[in-house]
């Protein structure tokens, strides 16, 4: 059952904070429209980019990589759909498909003769490649990267052959789109092209290949021509590959009667080794003002893209590229950066974000196989994905994000404070609060910032349940938890490391003081614990195994948590039947606490009894 704690007791019992050194004020509008919130997020919003040459590392060779598959399934269960996978990167422009190459790995092409610093036909894949791809969770949306760099006389046949194999082989997963070429703005540097090469030439070659793939592969299978993602650029600053330039070159125009662009695709990194002009530190990464400054140009590109009427996707992103940096991108501080980045980009109406992964990258959310003398393990960044997935699942396809203004704290917190409003069915569901002032794991008495949150008078005397993204410190490489959960380095499954349900109650005006420790984030959810609501698959079918087993949840594997969930579910269902629980259709039943329900009206005993019987039967089935 929920714990009733005063603000002071909460600070001492579950956040272990020193007296707050600063405070800020946050006001959350009651409706998404008045908050200027984003469009509703796709359940697949927070995804991954996997380097094509590394597919077997993540999904397995002859034997499936059950560790990776479980970690992806967790996120699908939390959000209601698998994370979007972009299978693309430099190596997509090295691949040729050979149906006779029947090996559980990519191979070197013995007949390679194409151009390029790394030849555009230097690597072979065959049918086993798509068998490995099929191991992703069911209905995983996949943007599949095709080779644009290859330009020998058979280039059309080659790209059609690969596209045909992809479309025909993807049955368990869902082919979402084709990306034609990786970062063509770098083709001169990579020696894939010479002479005149610019956005106009790229547009011609993109349309030529899209037409061939559509006519030979997509059209016979009943797919629309608008199935392709350009420009997949690494940078547009000072180049001829900006979106408005490509539009002027005719990339969105009809080409022989068809239009081929489905959405925009660009890439970015907060920091890139040997490219960025300063030395990166963890403290710089955790200064969120730096992220806004670095992404300012891309934010303009987002607006240009949306003005064309098409979605904008950030298909390749990371804190540090190309393969991360130890003790920066693999720290808990990087997890805070990642969750903030997801929420920040959502407020810009970016449709999807893919964090790029290679098997040897310190910025990957997990290490999928033995490397560097270490067995597979989960990095702190994965917990940011879990947090975002549960935040999205909290609204079952209706979740919207709004950036909230905060008052000024003390000067040493500049760039370290962020707040976001979370909405579902256009109603305020809660807030996410960030304090990214760097605190080391070795510090025994960490400071905090108190967020004085105004949830509005409609939320007076309401319980607020807190879910923490936390670790011992910003520099922690392990020991991260989210919402009381940790994920196994052995099988990827979740377990409970904090079974206490952390609650506070708003005052008579709907206000509440929430302390957040330095190097920590918290989701403050109204009326029930995040992750205890029913999450639907594609908005219709209840997912299984997706709930946090911490706190009240009616599908928990732990018996005590299950019975707690049964009681709260019963109360919530009774509330919906009597018309005073509010928006039960949002998540299959709002999970209100007993105190909140009492405030909203007395319930009939027969309704409670009926609901309890129904929930008990449901538990027997789910068990």
């Amino acid at each position: 059952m929920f714990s009733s704690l005063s603000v002071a007791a909460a600070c001492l019992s579950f956040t272990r904070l020193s007296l707050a050194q600063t405070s800020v004020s946050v006001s959350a509008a009651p409706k998404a429209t008045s908050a200027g919130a984003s469009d509703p997020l796709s359940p697949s919003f927070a995804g991954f980019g996997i380097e094509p040459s590394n597919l077997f590392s993540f999904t397995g060779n002859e034997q499936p990589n059950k560790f990776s598959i479980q970690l992806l399934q967790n996120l699908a269960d939390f959000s209601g759909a698998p994370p979007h996978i972009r299978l693309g990167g430099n190596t997509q422009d090295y691949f040729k498909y050979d149906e006779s190459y029947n090996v559980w790995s990519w191979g070197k092409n013995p007949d390679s003769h194409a151009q390029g610093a790394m030849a555009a036909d230097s690597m072979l894949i065959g049918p086993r490649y798509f068998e490995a791809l099929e191991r992703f969770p069911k209905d995983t949306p996949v943007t599949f990267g095709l080779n644009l760099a290859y330009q020998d006389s058979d280039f059309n046949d080659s790209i059609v052959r690969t596209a045909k194999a992809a479309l025909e082989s993807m049955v368990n997963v869902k082919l979402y789109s084709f990306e034609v070429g990786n970062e063509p703005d770098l083709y001169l540097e990579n020696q894939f092209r010479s002479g005149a090469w610019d956005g106009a030439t790229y547009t011609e070659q993109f349309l030529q290949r899209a037409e061939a793939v559509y006519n030979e592969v997509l059209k016979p299978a009943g797919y629309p021509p608008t199935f392709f993602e350009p420009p997949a650029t690494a940078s547009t600053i000072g180049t001829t590959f900006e979106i408005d330039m490509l539009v002027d070159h005719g990339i969105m125009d009809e080409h022989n009667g068809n239009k081929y662009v489905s959405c925009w695709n660009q890439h970015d990194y907060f920091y890139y080794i040997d490219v960025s002009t300063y030395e990166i530190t963890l403290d710089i990464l955790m200064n969120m003002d730096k992220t806004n400054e670095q992404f300012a140009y891309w934010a303009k590109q987002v607006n240009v893209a949306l003005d064309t009427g098409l979605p904008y996707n950030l298909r390749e992103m990371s804190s540090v590229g190309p393969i991360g940096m130890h003790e920066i991108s693999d720290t808990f501080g990087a997890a805070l950066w990642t969750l903030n980045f997801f929420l920040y980009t959502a407020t810009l109406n970016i449709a999807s974000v893919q964090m790029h992964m290679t098997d040897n990258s310190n910025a990957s959310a997990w290490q999928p196989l033995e490397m560097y003398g270490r067995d597979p393990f989960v990095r702190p960044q994965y917990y940011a994905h879990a947090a975002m997935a549960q935040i999205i699942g909290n609204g079952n396809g209706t979740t919207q994000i709004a950036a909230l203004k905060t008052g000024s704290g003390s000067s040493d917190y500049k760039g370290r404070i962020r707040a976001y409003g979370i909405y579902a069915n256009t109603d305020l569901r809660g807030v996410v609060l960030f304090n990214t002032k760097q605190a080391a794991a070795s510090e025994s008495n960490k400071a905090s910032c108190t967020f004085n949150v105004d949830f509005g008078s409609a939320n007076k005397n309401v319980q607020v349940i807190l879910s923490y993204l936390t670790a011992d410190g910003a520099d922690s490489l392990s020991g991260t938890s989210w919402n009381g959960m940790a994920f196994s380095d052995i099988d990827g499954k979740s377990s409970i490391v904090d079974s206490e349900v952390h609650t506070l109650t708003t005052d008579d005006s709907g206000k509440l003081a929430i302390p957040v420790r330095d190097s920590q984030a918290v989701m403050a959810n109204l009326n029930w614990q995040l992750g205890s609501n029913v999450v639907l698959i594609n908005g219709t079918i209840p997912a299984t195994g997706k709930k946090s087993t911490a706190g009240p949840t009616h599908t928990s594997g732990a018996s005590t948590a299950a019975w707690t969930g049964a009681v709260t579910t019963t109360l919530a269902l009774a509330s919906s039947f009597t018309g005073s629980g509010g928006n039960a259709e949002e998540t299959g039943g709002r999970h209100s606490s007993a105190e909140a329900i009492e405030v909203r009206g007395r319930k009939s005993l027969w309704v409670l009894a009926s609901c309890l019987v129904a929930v008990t039967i449901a538990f027997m089935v789910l068990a």
Side-chain angles (χ1 to χ4, degrees):
M1 298 292 287
F2 290 138
S3 304
S4 296
L5 302 173
S6 68
V7 174
C11 294
L12 293 174
S13 66
F14 63 82
T15 58
R16 302 183 300 278
L17 302 173
S18 63
L19 292 177
Q21 294 183 351
T22 193
S23 63
V24 295
S25 297
V26 178
S27 180
K31 292 288 185 179
T33 50
S34 55
S38 68
D39 293 335
L41 300 186
S42 163
S44 301
F45 171 84
F48 300 97
I50 294 180
E51 188 66 37
S53 60
N54 283 194
L55 175 66
F56 291 104
S57 296
F58 283 95
T59 62
N61 300 98
E62 290 88 347
Q63 297 300 317
N65 186 327
K66 295 181 180 179
F67 174 63
S68 286
I69 295 168
Q70 179 64 52
L71 289 172
L72 290 167
Q73 186 63 54
N74 294 339
L75 303 179
D77 293 338
F78 289 154
S79 72
H84 193 116
I85 300 293
R86 176 229 178 194
L87 190 59
N90 288 336
T91 53
Q92 80 186 62
D93 277 329
Y94 308 155
F95 275 179
K96 287 197 73 176
Y97 179 77
D98 182 348
E99 63 182 8
S100 68
Y101 183 74
N102 202 31
V103 182
W104 284 100
S105 66
W106 63 265
K108 292 184 178 180
N109 183 1
D111 299 320
S112 173
H113 56 271
Q115 83 293 350
M118 178 70 75
D121 63 350
S122 59
M123 303 169 74
L124 294 178
I125 57 172
R128 298 295 190 190
Y129 191 82
F130 294 101
E131 290 185 45
L133 176 56
E134 279 282 272
R135 291 169 175 166
F136 287 132
K138 182 175 175 55
D139 292 330
T140 295
V142 176
T143 292
F144 189 89
L146 298 173
N147 188 335
L148 172 68
Y150 184 73
Q151 60 175 358
D152 283 11
S153 59
D154 64 336
F155 69 84
N156 261 1
D157 291 339
S158 179
I159 198 170
V160 164
R161 187 163 53 249
T162 306
K164 189 172 188 292
L167 184 143
E168 293 179 348
S169 301
M170 292 189 195
V171 177
N172 180 61
V173 301
K174 180 172 62 179
L175 179 61
Y176 181 88
S177 59
F178 284 127
E179 175 188 279
V180 181
N182 175 72
E183 298 174 359
D185 51 316
L186 301 181
Y187 272 19
L188 291 176
E189 179 181 334
N190 294 335
Q191 300 175 36
F192 285 148
R193 296 291 187 272
S194 59
W197 177 253
D198 56 16
T201 308
Y202 161 74
T203 296
E204 293 176 6
Q205 296 191 9
F206 166 85
L207 291 173
Q208 183 181 35
R209 286 159 175 78
E211 181 179 41
V213 170
Y214 172 64
N215 287 333
E216 299 296 325
V217 179
L218 296 173
K219 185 177 181 180
Y223 283 73
T226 51
F227 204 76
F228 300 89
E229 298 190 13
T233 46
S235 177
T236 62
I237 303 174
T239 75
T240 58
F241 288 82
E242 294 188 35
I243 291 173
D244 56 354
M245 296 177 181
L246 298 178
V247 171
D248 288 343
H249 295 318
I251 202 166
M252 289 185 65
D253 296 345
E254 283 193 1
H255 182 72
N256 294 329
N258 291 309
K259 295 182 178 181
Y260 295 107
V261 178
S262 62
C263 58
W264 300 104
N265 171 330
Q266 288 185 334
H267 305 167
D268 187 28
Y269 287 81
F270 175 77
Y271 183 91
Y272 206 90
I273 297 171
D274 294 332
V275 174
S276 298
T277 58
Y278 61 94
E279 184 176 352
I280 185 67
T281 66
L282 180 57
D283 192 58
I284 289 174
L285 178 66
M286 293 178 66
N287 184 336
M288 291 176 288
D289 284 351
K290 297 294 184 183
T291 292
N292 291 60
E293 293 167 7
Q294 189 274 341
F295 206 72
Y297 180 85
W298 299 99
K300 294 179 181 178
Q301 284 285 286
V302 175
N303 289 330
V304 172
L306 296 179
D307 284 344
T308 69
L310 297 178
Y312 178 102
N313 298 290
L314 190 59
R315 292 289 191 219
E316 184 172 324
M317 185 65 197
S318 186
S319 57
V320 179
I323 60 169
M325 187 177 292
H326 180 47
E327 296 185 341
I328 294 180
S329 59
D330 56 355
T331 65
F332 175 66
L336 292 174
W337 175 87
T338 299
L339 180 57
N340 175 71
F341 190 79
F342 283 147
L343 294 167
Y344 164 63
T345 50
T347 67
L348 300 178
N349 277 319
I350 291 178
S352 185
V353 177
Q354 279 64 54
M355 292 293 177
H356 200 60
M357 298 205 296
T358 60
D359 56 17
N360 64 341
S361 174
N362 279 305
S364 296
W366 67 90
Q367 182 176 294
L369 71 175
E370 184 180 353
M371 187 167 287
Y372 304 128
R374 183 171 180 182
D375 290 337
F377 68 98
V378 181
R379 290 190 177 91
Q381 181 180 314
Y382 178 80
Y383 290 79
H385 285 264
M388 192 65 190
Q390 282 200 318
I391 289 169
I392 292 173
N394 204 29
N396 271 317
T398 69
T399 299
Q400 296 172 264
I401 313 295
L404 303 180
K405 293 182 179 180
T406 61
S408 298
S410 57
S411 59
D412 55 340
Y413 282 85
K414 185 179 185 302
R416 312 294 173 168
I417 302 300
R418 289 291 186 276
Y420 298 90
I422 311 300
Y423 295 83
N425 281 354
T426 75
D427 292 327
L428 179 65
R429 180 61 52 82
V431 296
V432 180
L433 310 172
F434 287 86
N435 176 358
T436 64
K437 188 173 184 294
Q438 189 173 357
S442 59
E443 295 179 35
S444 59
N445 192 27
K446 297 177 178 64
S448 68
C449 173
T450 295
F451 290 77
N452 296 306
V453 183
D454 185 352
F455 288 96
S457 58
N459 291 303
K460 64 181 181 180
N461 303 316
V462 168
Q463 277 200 320
V464 176
I465 297 85
L466 308 179
S467 299
Y468 286 91
L469 178 60
T470 191
D472 287 343
D475 55 344
S476 295
L477 303 177
S478 61
T480 302
S481 66
W482 158 249
N483 200 12
M485 293 182 291
F487 297 91
S488 169
D489 291 338
I490 305 301
D491 60 15
K493 294 182 179 180
S494 66
S495 63
I496 298 306
V497 293
D498 179 9
S499 60
E500 185 175 5
V501 181
H502 306 302
T503 70
L504 299 172
T505 303
T506 61
D507 64 18
D508 289 340
S509 61
K511 296 178 180 178
L512 178 63
I514 304 175
V516 182
R517 194 202 73 192
D518 289 357
S519 299
Q520 195 177 63
V522 61
M523 167 69 177
N525 205 53
L526 294 166
N527 295 315
W528 72 81
Q529 185 176 18
L530 188 69
S532 65
N533 61 295
V534 175
V535 177
L536 304 179
I537 299 174
N538 297 322
T540 56
I541 307 169
T544 57
K546 76 270 164 215
K547 308 300 188 298
S548 162
T549 51
T553 161
H554 63 280
T555 57
S556 169
S559 60
T560 55
W563 280 109
T564 302
V567 174
T568 55
T569 302
T570 301
L571 293 173
L573 288 170
S575 175
S576 68
F577 290 156
T578 56
S580 57
N583 296 332
E585 72 279 2
E586 292 179 18
T587 58
R590 289 179 69 100
H591 291 241
S592 303
S593 67
E595 291 88 345
I597 290 173
E598 184 177 359
V599 169
R600 294 180 180 188
R602 299 176 59 186
K603 307 301 181 287
S604 299
L605 182 60
W606 71 268
V607 176
L608 290 172
S610 299
C611 292
L612 184 57
V613 170
V615 172
T616 302
I617 294 172
F619 267 101
M620 294 174 64
V621 174
L622 288 170

